[in-house]
Amino acid sequence: RMDIIDEFSNSMIDFITNATESKIKVFCKPFNPATVYLMADTYKSIGMIGGDFFECSDRFDKGFNYDLLEKCSIVLWDQPGTGFMECITSGIPTMILWAPYYTEETWCVDDFIRLEEVGVIHRTSELLVQEIQQFLIDPLAWMNDSNRKAIIQNFANKYALSDDKWWKSWRNYLNHLKLEIE
């Protein structure tokens, strides 16, 4: 978004600086070619800051593929969008650096606070880098933390419709539509 591009640029630079200082390698996949064009100076800066700890993809498409996921231990996001939902429902390690210039809807704030409490959402790059370091010590232990798993599953059930009994939800919904038509 053009109204927050400067803040987003500063956030990216701050994150790459902190990640590089902590020797965390970052593979960046920009959203699309327009993003790279609009933020050319930012991508140049983070490339120089990150050096050998930073790589930028030359593919600009939506979604994941096996090769992309093979390059990463964890997937990071700037907001909880569709890709984030795909990660949590697929068991792919994921975190978010969600800066204060993004706001969530008031009706779901508590769910986002819970994700923040278990180390999935981070409001600063420093906190995110600390959590990544914890994750990298033992990724399986991080992913299998029972409290984190429960909160992620609850979030997925509420917002990604990933309930194991998804067919019941659809059946109820379709039956409700049928009753409205009759």
Side-chain angles (χ1 to χ4, degrees):
R1 291 182 9 205
M2 292 304 293
D3 59 326
I4 60 169
I5 199 166
D6 289 337
E7 291 91 347
F8 186 70
S9 174
N10 292 335
S11 177
M12 288 176 66
I13 291 168
D14 186 54
F15 170 68
I16 295 300
T17 300
N18 285 307
T20 301
E21 288 172 358
S22 297
K23 309 281 191 246
I24 295 172
K25 291 187 176 188
V26 175
F27 178 78
C28 177
K29 182 176 174 265
F31 181 68
N32 58 28
T35 301
V36 176
Y37 175 77
L38 290 171
M39 299 183 72
D41 291 341
T42 300
Y43 281 99
K44 184 177 179 181
S45 292
I46 61 178
M48 290 189 311
I49 292 166
D52 291 337
F53 290 95
F54 179 79
E55 179 183 351
C56 189
S57 176
D58 57 1
R59 274 184 70 184
F60 310 117
D61 55 5
K62 293 181 96 178
F64 297 115
N65 62 43
Y66 183 76
D67 294 333
L68 180 62
L69 292 174
E70 279 289 299
K71 289 182 173 276
C72 307
S73 300
I74 188 165
V75 180
L76 305 177
W77 301 97
D78 64 344
Q79 60 183 329
T82 304
F84 171 71
M85 297 296 200
E86 290 174 353
C87 285
I88 64 171
T89 60
S90 300
I92 297 169
T94 191
M95 292 181 198
I96 300 172
L97 175 58
W98 202 10
Y101 50 84
Y102 284 119
T103 58
E104 58 267 7
E105 297 292 331
T106 56
W107 53 268
C108 57
V109 168
D110 290 342
D111 294 314
F112 289 116
I113 288 171
R114 285 184 201 94
L115 287 174
E116 192 171 353
E117 289 170 348
V118 296
V120 175
I121 291 178
H122 306 276
R123 302 298 177 160
T124 69
S125 64
E126 293 84 7
L127 292 173
L128 174 61
V129 167
Q130 289 173 13
E131 192 71 32
I132 292 170
Q133 289 172 319
Q134 287 300 309
F135 169 83
L136 292 173
I137 290 169
D138 190 345
L140 287 176
W142 192 92
M143 288 294 293
N144 289 321
D145 177 89
S146 59
N147 189 41
R148 182 178 296 112
K149 281 177 74 169
I151 288 171
I152 289 171
Q153 187 61 52
N154 180 62
F155 189 89
N157 288 344
K158 286 175 87 171
Y159 302 106
L161 298 179
S162 60
D163 190 335
D164 290 340
K165 305 275 192 272
W166 60 268
W167 55 271
K168 285 185 179 181
S169 296
W170 273 105
R171 182 186 64 200
N172 293 340
Y173 174 73
L174 294 172
N175 283 337
H176 178 73
L177 287 178
K178 182 181 170 186
L179 292 175
E180 285 183 2
I181 294 172
E182 294 174 346

